Amino acid sequence: MPPHGKRRFSPLATIIFLLFSLAYSASAASAVLGIDLGTEYIKAALVKPGIPLEIVLTKDSKRKEAAAVAFKPSSSKAATSEANSFPERIYGADALALSARFPSDVYPNLKPLLGVQFKDNNVATVYSGRHPGLRLVEGKDRGTIGFQSESFDSGAEPFLVEELLAMELKNIRENARVLAGKGSNIQDAVITVPSFYTAEERRAVALAADLAGLRVLGLISDGLSVGLNYATSRTFPTVSDGGKPEFHLVYDMGAGSTTATILRFQGKTVKDVGKFNKTVQEVQIVGTGWDKTLGGDALNEIVMEDMIQKLIATSRMKTIGVEANHIREHGRTMAKLWKEAERIRQVLSANTETSSSFEGLFYEDVNFKYKLSRTEFEKLGSGYAIRVQSPITAALESAKLSLSDIESVILHGGAVRTPFVQKQLEAAIKSADKIRTNVNSDEAAVFGAAFKAAAISPSFRVKDIRTGDIAGYAVGVSWTSDGKERQQKLFVPTSQTGLEKQVSLKVTSDLSFTLFEQIPATAGLIELPVVKIQTLNLTSSVQQLTDKFGCTIADIKSQFAIRLSPINGLPELVRGSVSCEAIEKKGGVVDGVKDFLGFGSKKSDQEPLKDDASAESSTTSLDGESSTVSSPKESETSDSAANKITDEKPKDVKPKTQTIYLDFSTDAAGLPPLSTEKLQQIKDRLAEFDASDRSRMKREETLNTLEAFTYKARDLIEDEGFVLASTEQQRIEIEEQFKSASEWLYGDGADASRETLKARLDHLRGLVDPVQKRKDEAARRPNEVKALQEALEQTKAMVSLISQNREAQSIAEEAASSSSVTDSSTASTTDSTANSETTEPPSSSITDDFADLDDDTATTSSTTTSEPPPPPPPMPSYSAEDLALLTEKQESIQTWLATKLAEQEKLSPTDDPAFLSSDLAAKSKELNEVIMKLLQRQMEMPGRPKSSSSRAKKSATKTITPKKSATESAEKAEDTAASMDDILKQMPGLDKATEEEIAAAVKAQKAKTEQDTTEKVTDDTSAEKSEKTEEKTREKSKEKLKEKPKDKIKEKAKAKSREKKRSKTKSKPKPKVKAKGTGKSDHEEL
């Protein structure tokens, strides 16, 4: 078996792993939650792409939800008679508001009951005393606390604490979905727990989250979560550079308990990707202390006890003979007193005095007024005040630090606002300046949990802050060996989670051992089993080591790797193995064959040649034969090596550690887990609750719709349009039916089922909808008729335009035909003219004396050609079928409309219409589709080329066009055919134009086109005349150039003669003469 960590996987396993990774990445792209699970309140923060660290609001837009769920008995008989009906579930503050009415079905502050046994437990007793209306029972399977609801039969299964907490967590999840938006998948969460939570309590939280549909990414201590939020916006000294870490204390007093956590904050340089390093922030717990019963609920209880004592002291209660135990056993009275005691405590945090009054307390005629000052409250809580400092002292002892090492104290929790608590903290710390007030004492923990969830999830990238939680309790292992119970301590309470420890046991047969926690108690340490481990192949593995490798029993070691889980902090077995050092025999069949063939061993017999040996040997070749001569040095080396091998003994053995990994099974110890059947039963009941809630919501929607419809009927009967569209008998029937429905709703209809309510609603709509339809049709009909008539007029105008377009197309085709004949005759004439006008160039036999003269750059010959005019662009083509289709559609709809209008005129307003407004819209749509199809064909045709480009081309090639009549005709036809485009562009209101207006526009466009054509012909004629004049001038200059010989000697003589004349006749003006050597001819000066 390959060693652990180096196993090879098959290609199929690799593919499955990749598919799983892709699937996990897709699911991991969803949002994550951070949940601060408090005793009195539950807070949640959402992290989603686009939503960084946002508090999840309740349905009442509050930032925290009261940790309570209530079962409200349904007042509807129909709802209770249904087989799958359940009481309505109410959450948060709405549930607490029902505690006085339904004290037996409101379940608040369930957190202290998680993972607690029902028997011999003070927690259950205290909770039952605060909420006497609730009926606590023992769970059948595990012996934990359950609740028997009065909304169900006595034989129904009790609700476990985890089941009720799952309802609250699922409500939080639904609120988060509303914040995340439609389509978001919220499944992963990090939940805060107190640092003193045992394995059973942590598993209870995980079970509740699983029942709520949440996947726990990790459990984080309250203090660590606050510290993580504190570190997100700060940077601490780097210990790698010589800096000293900072120590801060988080004091958290909530409703149920108080904890003190000492945290170490530091920066550290670690290796990054490649050769780079980076600095990360670290937050680690170094010490904790707690008081499990000191909190806001304990302070509320002392106020409530004072209220009970003052209540029984009243004269009315003395007369009746009511005692304190009578009140404590009365559920409604205790619910009212508990709620008011909490309010009084919170008010006294900001005020020095407060009061409250009760009406109908315990008895209907009992009225009670209560008044309490802050001084009296502090006297009542003096016994709790001295307990404020104990968690701080325990945390300092655990961390082995003093108060002078603490940089600051971070306060968290609602109860820390109590004035005497803050006084005690200042006295314990001995410095008020160390208390930090710039940290959100309500939401720091939930933000830290959300940040941790985002850091764990692969979908987000956050600041690199590494956290270190601790075990909280010492962890050990116990097993039986040789008939004796043996134990070994593994971790201390401050051991970091994720830490792995190797445990060696001298066992050679399968065994069972237990990992346990040591819980401090009044009587000493209690060993609480956490997990039971059973090895499966230890005996066979030992046998394999002895048989195959020759190991002795004394040399075999059993080793187990145990760590604190980084997810929930509980101890777990990572792997186990048995090993021994065995003598591995070198050589075998293969090695014997190698020796026989002369190959020898890799390390000794087959040593490579050295460079000096190869240099000293020589090889010569003579007549195709070769011989090798070895150096004397090599021979001596070979002889000495042979003698050495003969003298020494061969090494054929080597010690090696042989390891076999063990298979094992793990089972949770302590509280037995829920059986598969019980777990499925709970999930089914939760699903039935959800289905019942959805059914109830649908029934309430139907009831509200029916009630609103009855009110609407009163307005309809008085509406003028409704009166015109209905008869007197119809209105009387509608009024009677709606009056009967209204009375029924406030009677038996309040308890009717959703099907009954829907049937009643459908019946009323069957009376009103036909009349309402006639009313609406009468209102919409005129506009729809007008719209269809306008569409018909547009179609008629379109038919006229298509006809004119076809005429223009015919004219263009005739013009193009005549133009092609004219162009062919013009081309033949041009060719003959070009041949006659071509002249021979001057002789090239010129002596070298004229080499320095420049030749005339003028063109000696010109060719005049006549290009045919560009073909006219393709024009919109409308076939006879198009025209027939449009005409047929227009005439058929025109006939249909006339027929329907005639039928409608014969009907009265109370009759059903002959046609609907939707029919008119459909006809308009048919016409529009035909017209748009034809217009779209026209828009897809290529555009016309600009006439200026063709003129520029004629000028560049010096083309002379002798005749213009054919081209003009083609352009005229083309412009006439394009008149439809111009009309469409110049008439944006074509859909509203009449046939006469369209004909007038076409006539005006034709006149404009003829005028533009005349101006264009005039411009072309003038341009041709100027071109002919310039051509004649060039020809005359060329003739003069031929007559004058370009003789260099004569030119020089003429120049000398001119110089003499200038010198003799100075009074005469000097003629303009070119400078010598310019090489320009005389005719250029002219």
Side-chain angles (χ1 to χ4, degrees):
M1 184 176 182
H4 186 75
K6 296 183 179 180
R7 300 178 182 177
R8 296 182 179 179
F9 298 95
S10 63
L12 179 60
T14 305
I15 295 174
I16 294 175
F17 173 78
L18 292 176
L19 293 176
F20 175 80
S21 301
L22 293 174
Y24 178 78
S25 301
S27 64
S30 57
V32 294
L33 273 180
I35 300 177
D36 181 15
L37 184 60
T39 302
E40 186 178 5
Y41 291 99
I42 300 177
K43 295 175 281 290
L46 176 69
V47 181
K48 180 180 179 291
I51 305 179
L53 292 178
E54 184 71 20
I55 287 291
V56 177
L57 302 179
T58 67
K59 295 180 180 178
D60 300 330
S61 299
K62 297 180 180 179
R63 298 179 69 85
K64 57 184 179 181
E65 185 81 276
V69 59
F71 296 158
K72 182 181 178 181
S74 178
S75 59
S76 174
K77 296 180 181 179
T80 57
S81 62
E82 294 179 1
N84 297 328
S85 64
F86 284 81
E88 182 181 1
R89 290 181 296 183
I90 310 297
Y91 300 97
D94 295 337
L96 295 177
L98 298 175
S99 60
R101 295 177 55 193
F102 309 103
S104 61
D105 277 325
V106 179
Y107 309 94
N109 302 7
L110 298 172
K111 181 180 177 181
L113 303 179
L114 289 170
V116 174
Q117 294 282 349
F118 179 77
K119 293 181 179 180
D120 302 330
N121 196 297
N122 186 47
V123 177
T125 304
V126 172
Y127 187 88
S128 180
R130 294 173 180 174
H131 309 282
L134 296 174
R135 183 183 172 188
L136 276 68
V137 296
E138 182 180 2
K140 296 180 180 179
D141 295 340
R142 304 190 300 166
T144 55
I145 297 175
F147 293 92
Q148 193 70 49
S149 173
E150 293 186 359
S151 299
F152 294 84
D153 298 335
S154 58
E157 287 289 331
F159 288 89
L160 299 180
V161 177
E162 294 87 347
E163 186 176 359
L164 296 174
L165 182 59
M167 297 180 185
E168 298 178 14
L169 293 177
K170 193 167 187 178
N171 177 58
I172 294 293
R173 182 187 179 190
E174 293 301 323
N175 293 340
R177 281 181 176 176
V178 175
L179 175 62
K182 187 178 181 181
S184 298
N185 180 26
I186 300 176
Q187 187 176 2
D188 301 330
V190 169
I191 304 176
T192 63
V193 294
S195 56
F196 58 80
Y197 256 23
T198 63
E200 295 173 351
E201 293 167 320
R202 292 172 184 266
R203 286 171 179 165
V205 173
L207 175 59
D210 179 64
L211 294 175
L214 293 173
R215 180 173 54 191
V216 179
L217 295 178
L219 299 178
I220 183 172
S221 300
D222 293 329
L224 181 60
S225 182
V226 175
L228 179 58
N229 178 68
Y230 183 78
T232 54
S233 58
R234 292 169 175 84
T235 303
F236 304 97
T238 304
V239 295
S240 303
D241 299 336
K244 294 183 178 181
E246 297 181 3
F247 295 94
H248 299 262
L249 188 146
V250 177
Y251 191 86
D252 184 4
M253 178 180 283
S257 60
T258 300
T259 60
T261 306
I262 298 179
L263 302 171
R264 178 174 60 206
F265 296 86
Q266 65 184 18
K268 188 176 181 181
T269 303
V270 298
K271 182 174 175 50
D272 199 1
V273 179
K275 299 181 180 180
F276 301 96
N277 296 330
K278 65 177 180 179
T279 302
V280 299
Q281 305 299 311
E282 291 184 346
V283 183
Q284 297 176 348
I285 298 178
V286 295
T288 57
W290 57 76
D291 189 332
K292 293 184 179 181
T293 59
L294 177 62
D297 286 353
L299 301 180
N300 295 342
E301 190 173 11
I302 63 175
V303 176
M304 186 179 65
E305 285 295 327
D306 186 61
M307 296 171 72
I308 292 174
Q309 297 300 325
K310 291 182 178 180
L311 175 62
I312 62 175
T314 60
S315 58
R316 175 60 179 163
M317 301 301 286
K318 288 181 179 180
T319 303
I320 300 173
V322 177
E323 297 180 358
N325 60 334
H326 296 156
I327 296 176
R328 293 190 183 100
E329 294 174 357
H330 195 265
R332 293 187 177 182
T333 302
M334 289 296 291
K336 292 180 181 179
L337 294 177
W338 179 267
K339 183 178 180 181
E340 193 63 21
E342 183 179 0
R343 188 193 68 83
I344 289 174
R345 177 182 64 83
Q346 294 174 353
V347 171
L348 289 178
S349 298
N351 300 277
T352 59
E353 189 177 81
T354 185
S355 62
S356 61
S357 60
F358 302 88
E359 295 182 359
L361 187 65
F362 194 75
Y363 285 112
E364 294 181 0
D365 58 344
V366 175
N367 297 329
F368 175 63
K369 292 184 178 180
Y370 178 75
K371 185 178 181 180
L372 185 65
S373 64
R374 181 185 293 177
T375 304
E376 294 174 344
F377 174 62
E378 291 179 354
K379 290 180 180 180
L380 294 174
S382 59
Y384 292 96
I386 59 176
R387 296 167 55 182
V388 172
Q389 301 181 13
S390 59
I392 299 177
T393 304
L396 291 173
E397 292 178 357
S398 176
K400 299 179 181 180
L401 297 173
S402 62
L403 282 173
S404 60
D405 299 324
I406 304 301
E407 298 284 341
S408 67
V409 177
I410 304 171
L411 301 182
H412 190 265
V416 295
R417 300 185 182 95
T418 307
F420 77 81
V421 173
Q422 293 186 352
K423 291 179 182 179
Q424 292 294 326
L425 285 175
E426 292 177 1
I429 300 170
K430 301 178 182 180
S431 176
D433 297 336
K434 287 187 176 182
I435 297 179
R436 294 288 175 90
T437 58
N438 57 349
V439 178
N440 191 337
S441 60
D442 284 331
E443 299 175 352
V446 68
F447 280 134
F451 186 90
K452 181 67 174 180
I456 296 175
S457 174
S459 301
F460 305 96
R461 185 177 182 181
V462 297
K463 181 180 178 181
D464 196 350
I465 303 177
R466 303 184 180 183
T467 59
D469 213 331
I470 61 174
Y473 299 104
V475 176
V477 56
S478 63
W479 74 98
T480 302
S481 178
D482 299 331
K484 296 181 181 181
E485 293 290 335
R486 302 180 184 274
Q487 288 187 353
Q488 182 178 343
K489 193 174 182 179
L490 300 179
F491 302 101
V492 297
T494 56
S495 297
Q496 297 289 327
T497 57
L499 180 64
E500 185 176 306
K501 194 168 186 179
Q502 302 291 335
V503 180
S504 297
L505 301 178
K506 285 290 184 178
V507 291
T508 57
S509 60
D510 287 317
L511 81 159
S512 174
F513 58 93
T514 303
L515 302 177
F516 61 87
E517 291 179 333
Q518 290 182 341
I519 310 299
T522 306
L525 295 176
I526 300 176
E527 293 181 358
L528 180 65
V530 177
V531 59
K532 186 177 181 180
I533 302 169
Q534 176 67 50
T535 62
L536 303 178
N537 62 337
L538 178 59
T539 304
S540 60
S541 299
V542 171
Q543 187 68 30
Q544 183 179 358
L545 289 176
T546 57
D547 295 344
K548 184 176 181 180
F549 301 101
C551 300
T552 61
I553 298 297
D555 295 335
I556 296 176
K557 295 186 300 183
S558 300
Q559 196 170 27
F560 300 91
I562 302 173
R563 72 171 181 179
L564 296 174
S565 172
I567 298 178
N568 54 19
L570 302 182
E572 61 182 1
L573 178 62
V574 179
R575 62 185 176 274
S577 63
V578 290
S579 61
C580 71
E581 287 191 357
I583 302 300
E584 183 182 8
K585 297 181 179 180
K586 300 295 291 184
V589 177
V590 177
D591 294 334
V593 173
K594 288 183 177 180
D595 294 336
F596 177 76
L597 296 176
F599 292 106
S601 177
K602 271 186 178 179
K603 295 183 178 179
S604 60
D605 298 339
Q606 294 184 3
E607 293 184 358
L609 294 177
K610 298 181 180 180
D611 293 339
D612 53 355
S614 62
E616 291 175 359
S617 63
S618 61
T619 303
T620 59
S621 177
L622 185 63
D623 297 335
E625 298 178 358
S626 63
S627 62
T628 304
V629 181
S630 300
S631 64
K633 185 176 181 179
E634 184 179 358
S635 302
E636 294 174 0
T637 305
S638 302
D639 295 338
S640 62
N643 296 331
K644 187 175 182 181
I645 293 174
T646 305
D647 297 335
E648 294 182 359
K649 295 181 179 179
K651 297 180 179 180
D652 56 351
V653 294
K654 181 180 180 182
K656 183 179 181 181
T657 301
Q658 301 293 338
T659 303
I660 299 177
Y661 290 92
L662 301 177
D663 297 331
F664 53 88
S665 63
T666 59
D667 296 315
L671 283 177
L674 291 175
S675 62
T676 306
E677 295 77 10
K678 182 63 177 179
L679 186 61
Q680 188 61 41
Q681 180 183 354
I682 294 176
K683 291 183 177 181
D684 292 342
R685 182 159 61 176
L686 291 175
E688 290 175 355
F689 256 112
D690 296 338
S692 178
D693 290 343
R694 289 192 296 268
S695 177
R696 184 179 297 103
M697 291 179 61
K698 292 180 180 179
R699 180 190 174 277
E700 290 177 356
E701 291 177 359
T702 306
L703 178 62
N704 295 335
T705 303
L706 177 59
E707 188 176 4
F709 199 67
T710 57
Y711 288 110
K712 180 181 178 182
R714 302 172 186 175
D715 300 333
L716 288 176
I717 294 175
E718 299 176 358
D719 184 72
E720 182 179 357
F722 193 85
V723 172
L724 293 176
S726 61
T727 62
E728 183 68 22
Q729 183 179 0
Q730 289 175 337
R731 291 193 296 273
I732 293 174
E733 183 181 2
I734 291 173
E735 186 175 6
E736 292 177 353
Q737 291 292 334
F738 272 85
K739 184 178 180 181
S740 174
S742 181
E743 295 175 354
W744 177 77
L745 279 176
Y746 293 99
D748 298 336
D751 299 330
S753 63
R754 178 174 178 267
E755 289 72 16
T756 305
L757 294 172
K758 191 174 183 301
R760 198 68 178 256
L761 179 61
D762 294 340
H763 174 67
L764 295 179
R765 282 179 174 172
L767 298 176
V768 174
D769 288 349
V771 181
Q772 184 67 30
K773 185 177 181 180
R774 290 196 293 269
K775 174 193 170 183
D776 296 339
E777 288 295 329
R780 291 195 295 262
R781 188 183 304 116
N783 294 332
E784 294 294 339
V785 170
K786 182 179 179 181
L788 181 57
Q789 290 175 346
E790 291 177 354
L792 290 171
E793 291 296 330
Q794 295 175 18
T795 308
K796 190 175 181 180
M798 186 68 180
V799 171
S800 177
L801 288 176
I802 291 177
S803 300
Q804 296 176 9
N805 184 44
R806 286 180 57 78
E807 294 177 1
Q809 186 175 1
S810 177
I811 296 173
E813 292 175 354
E814 294 177 359
S817 177
S818 60
S819 175
S820 61
V821 176
T822 306
D823 291 343
S824 60
S825 60
T826 303
S828 60
T829 305
T830 304
D831 293 340
S832 60
T833 305
N835 295 330
S836 61
E837 291 180 356
T838 303
T839 57
E840 292 294 333
S843 175
S844 60
S845 58
I846 302 175
T847 60
D848 295 338
D849 295 336
F850 300 95
D852 57 342
L853 298 179
D854 295 335
D855 294 334
D856 189 6
T857 58
T859 304
T860 57
S861 64
S862 63
T863 305
T864 59
T865 60
S866 175
E867 292 186 359
M875 292 174 292
S877 176
Y878 295 103
S879 62
E881 290 77 8
D882 296 337
L883 184 60
L885 175 62
L886 190 59
T887 304
E888 181 182 358
K889 182 65 67 176
Q890 184 261 342
E891 292 177 352
S892 63
I893 295 178
Q894 184 74 46
T895 304
W896 176 86
L897 179 60
T899 304
K900 292 299 181 181
L901 289 176
E903 294 177 0
Q904 184 63 36
E905 291 178 358
K906 299 177 182 179
L907 301 176
S908 64
T910 59
D911 295 331
D912 291 335
F915 57 93
L916 302 177
S917 57
S918 59
D919 299 335
L920 297 172
K923 295 297 182 181
S924 298
K925 185 178 179 180
E926 291 180 13
L927 284 175
N928 185 52
E929 289 177 353
V930 175
I931 294 175
M932 292 305 297
K933 183 178 181 181
L934 298 179
L935 291 179
Q936 186 176 5
R937 182 186 302 174
Q938 179 179 352
M939 293 170 61
E940 293 175 354
M941 298 300 294
R944 298 172 56 196
K946 297 181 180 180
S947 58
S948 59
S949 61
S950 60
R951 292 179 181 177
K953 184 176 180 180
K954 291 178 182 179
S955 176
T957 56
K958 301 177 183 179
T959 302
I960 301 175
T961 306
K963 296 183 180 181
K964 285 288 182 177
S965 59
T967 305
E968 292 170 1
S969 301
E971 292 180 355
K972 180 178 179 181
E974 178 185 342
D975 294 336
T976 304
S979 62
M980 185 175 179
D981 293 335
D982 299 331
I983 293 173
L984 291 175
K985 294 178 181 178
Q986 297 174 8
M987 296 183 65
L990 180 61
D991 55 343
K992 300 180 180 179
T994 61
E995 186 177 0
E996 292 78 7
E997 293 175 349
I998 295 174
V1002 172
K1003 185 176 180 181
Q1005 183 65 24
K1006 288 182 178 181
K1008 182 180 178 182
T1009 303
E1010 293 177 358
Q1011 182 179 358
D1012 294 341
T1013 303
T1014 304
E1015 293 176 357
K1016 183 173 65 174
V1017 172
T1018 304
D1019 294 340
D1020 293 344
T1021 305
S1022 302
E1024 291 171 4
K1025 289 181 179 180
S1026 62
E1027 289 178 0
K1028 290 180 180 180
T1029 304
E1030 292 177 1
E1031 189 68 23
K1032 291 180 180 180
T1033 304
R1034 294 192 194 96
E1035 293 298 331
K1036 291 181 179 179
S1037 299
K1038 293 175 183 178
E1039 292 296 331
K1040 292 181 180 180
L1041 183 61
K1042 294 177 181 180
E1043 295 174 359
K1044 294 182 180 181
K1046 296 180 180 180
D1047 189 19
K1048 183 176 180 181
I1049 299 174
K1050 292 182 179 181
E1051 185 68 25
K1052 291 180 178 180
K1054 289 182 180 180
K1056 290 179 180 180
S1057 177
R1058 284 195 293 270
E1059 288 293 336
K1060 291 179 180 180
K1061 290 180 180 180
R1062 289 194 192 97
S1063 60
K1064 292 179 180 179
T1065 313
K1066 295 182 179 180
S1067 60
K1068 294 183 180 180
K1070 297 180 179 179
K1072 295 181 180 181
V1073 182
K1074 289 283 182 178
K1076 184 177 181 182
T1078 57
K1080 299 293 182 181
S1081 55
D1082 291 344
H1083 76 275
E1084 289 182 351
E1085 296 179 13
L1086 300 176

